[in-house]
Amino acid sequence: MARLELDHLVKRYGRGGEPAVQDLSLEVNDGEFVCLLGPSGCGKTTTLRLIGGFLKPDAGDVRIDGTSILKEPPERRPTAMVFQRYALWPHMTVWDNIAFGLQVRRRPRDEIARRVEAALELVGLPAMGRRYPAQLSGGQQQRVALARALVLEPRILLLDEPLSNLDAQLRVHMRTELTAIQRRVGITTVFVTHDQEEAMSIADRIAVMNAGVLEQMDSPEEIYAQPATLFVATFIGTMNRLDAHVDAGWVRAGPFVAALPDIGRLNAGSGASVDGALVAGVRPEDLVLETAGQGVPARIDSVVDLGHYRRVTLTAEGTSLLAFVPRSEPIPTDRLTVAPRRLLLYADGHLLATNEGGVKRSGSNASGSTGGGSPSISAISSAIEPGKGAIPLGPWPVRK
């Protein structure tokens, strides 16, 4: 279909105001489904409107297959938008709503009829053409809005939170329907949402935005496992956020103390210092609860059964932690210990290092050796920037 490029886009509302979109650059590949994800006011809908031509950028460019479309009005751009409120004409039938754009473009009647019928078939509403919007369910109205956009045969499909007005169960069903249609047509799609679960379940890649800035753009799996910034780490999913600092060659993150080898090399390679305040992040599912096992002593404060897993709140050395325990696993109560199997370390708000090796039992020697020498640091990133990666620290022995 088409490849979309946003090149250093800037958009301000009013004179001297803070940019709603700040120096935004990204690419959407041909046939790719990309979600713009972020909290309210982060600039995601503004970005979508800049692509569609409903707003004019103060700087930057929008290109489709290498050609700028900035001078084209919305009706002449090879894009089509599905709005949050669908904007269906209440006095027109479903058939006429879908045909309207083709009629404005003065397409032949037989072509209009053929394309409208094909669009109705595509969205699963072949027998609904004579109904009016008020006679449809919310999910059916959403499909009509999608058909009205697709019937124009755009090269880029723009979706502005099209599922937000649906109830929870229908929203989940329509996600599946929407992605199936997108895959069938193969159209390049940009989808705006503030719903993390929605973005994680439908997107090929997610662009996380905050205050007009692109924080990270990557696959859902990579964004969850390797959030490039502290904002992404705390916005996507649930994260235990622990104040951390380096003390005589060790990093202390909340109740956990672990070896940090070669601090000088870490400082030089990352472009940020680990000598000051750091922040560590641990996903609740990465906390291991055991009876007299690895880690530090803890006590359980509460357990909430959420069906397929339990939400466990616990305290370890005065630090409150949240753990997710699968229903298939028992929750220890006697001589409980807790340890992170995986930990992320942030400096200046950006990902500095990751621990993939878990923790060892208390009593490991002070050098951090586990019998095979001190863990080594692999290749160091040239700078702490989104997408540059982080330093894997290897196994982190716990020291009490």
Side-chain angles (χ1 to χ4, degrees):
M1 281 288 181
R3 180 170 173 268
L4 173 68
E5 298 173 74
L6 306 185
D7 186 14
H8 298 287
L9 279 184
V10 177
K11 178 60 183 178
R12 292 182 176 86
Y13 292 110
R15 293 184 178 180
E18 287 293 322
V21 174
Q22 302 186 49
D23 196 31
L24 176 62
S25 295
L26 61 82
E27 296 181 3
V28 182
N29 298 320
D30 185 12
E32 191 175 26
F33 196 126
V34 167
C35 277
L36 301 182
L37 174 67
S40 297
C42 72
K44 55 188 185 294
T45 294
T46 296
T47 300
L48 201 71
R49 291 177 177 271
L50 290 171
I51 298 170
F54 301 100
L55 292 173
K56 183 179 179 180
D58 296 303
D61 198 5
V62 178
R63 294 189 290 269
I64 295 179
D65 287 338
T67 302
S68 176
I69 59 170
L70 279 187
K71 294 182 180 180
E72 298 293 333
E75 65 273 15
R76 293 191 177 181
R77 295 193 180 193
T79 61
M81 181 177 282
V82 176
F83 296 94
Q84 183 175 356
R85 297 188 177 277
Y86 311 146
L88 301 178
W89 298 104
H91 64 287
M92 291 184 179
T93 64
V94 166
W95 200 98
D96 289 332
N97 265 281
I98 297 172
F100 183 75
L102 296 174
Q103 292 167 346
V104 169
R105 287 163 173 76
R106 299 183 182 278
R107 306 308 302 170
R109 288 186 179 180
D110 58 342
E111 179 185 342
I112 292 174
R114 173 176 52 80
R115 287 167 64 171
V116 170
E117 294 299 330
L120 283 168
E121 188 72 33
L122 179 65
V123 299
L125 300 175
M128 299 289 184
R130 294 185 178 181
R131 293 193 183 185
Y132 288 86
Q135 297 173 309
L136 304 178
S137 68
Q140 289 170 334
Q141 290 183 33
Q142 192 270 345
R143 294 188 197 187
V144 173
L146 181 60
R148 185 177 59 183
L150 291 174
V151 78
L152 301 176
E153 298 181 351
R155 297 167 66 194
I156 306 283
L157 179 62
L158 308 175
L159 302 165
D160 187 10
E161 302 198 55
L163 309 181
S164 62
N165 293 326
L166 305 180
D167 62 65
Q169 286 189 332
L170 182 56
R171 188 160 61 244
V172 172
H173 173 72
M174 288 308 302
R175 286 178 200 162
T176 305
E177 292 286 331
L178 181 61
T179 52
I181 292 170
Q182 191 270 340
R183 299 290 188 264
R184 202 177 311 146
V185 177
I187 189 171
T188 305
T189 302
V190 182
F191 184 105
V192 163
T193 183
H194 64 271
D195 188 319
Q196 303 163 31
E197 181 183 341
E198 193 165 83
M200 295 287 288
S201 63
I202 65 177
D204 296 318
R205 287 191 297 160
I206 299 173
V208 182
M209 297 183 66
N210 180 38
V213 175
L214 178 63
E215 295 273 339
Q216 183 177 2
M217 185 171 183
D218 218 320
S219 67
E221 297 82 5
E222 188 68 13
I223 280 182
Y224 188 82
Q226 293 280 110
T229 68
L230 191 56
F231 171 81
V232 177
T234 53
F235 183 75
I236 300 293
T238 304
M239 182 74 77
N240 288 290
R241 177 172 170 163
L242 307 171
D243 292 333
H245 65 276
V246 171
D247 180 15
W250 298 77
V251 60
R252 179 179 289 276
F256 310 116
V257 181
L260 179 65
D262 206 349
I263 295 177
R265 189 179 174 202
L266 190 63
N267 282 337
S270 67
S273 174
V274 299
D275 296 328
L278 305 173
V279 175
V282 181
R283 296 287 186 195
E285 63 270 23
D286 288 329
L287 284 177
V288 179
L289 308 185
E290 294 180 299
T291 298
Q294 299 179 358
V296 297
R299 76 167 190 272
I300 293 177
D301 298 321
S302 68
V303 178
V304 178
D305 193 328
L306 296 176
H308 59 290
Y309 73 97
R310 277 78 55 82
R311 183 184 178 99
V312 181
T313 303
L314 58 151
T315 300
E317 295 188 357
T319 300
S320 180
L321 299 169
L322 179 65
F324 294 160
V325 180
R327 190 173 184 83
S328 59
E329 296 181 8
I331 299 176
T333 55
D334 184 36
R335 294 182 296 159
L336 173 66
T337 59
V338 59
R341 65 166 60 93
R342 188 170 187 274
L343 187 146
L344 306 170
L345 189 65
Y346 292 85
D348 300 327
H350 290 85
L351 184 59
L352 177 69
T354 60
N355 161 35
E356 300 284 353
V359 296
K360 304 300 180 182
R361 289 184 180 276
S362 300
S364 299
N365 60 46
S367 70
S369 174
T370 59
S374 298
S376 61
I377 301 179
S378 68
I380 298 177
S381 57
S382 59
I384 304 180
E385 297 177 8
K388 292 291 185 180
I391 306 163
L393 294 179
W396 290 26
V398 168
R399 184 187 69 171
K400 285 288 289 176

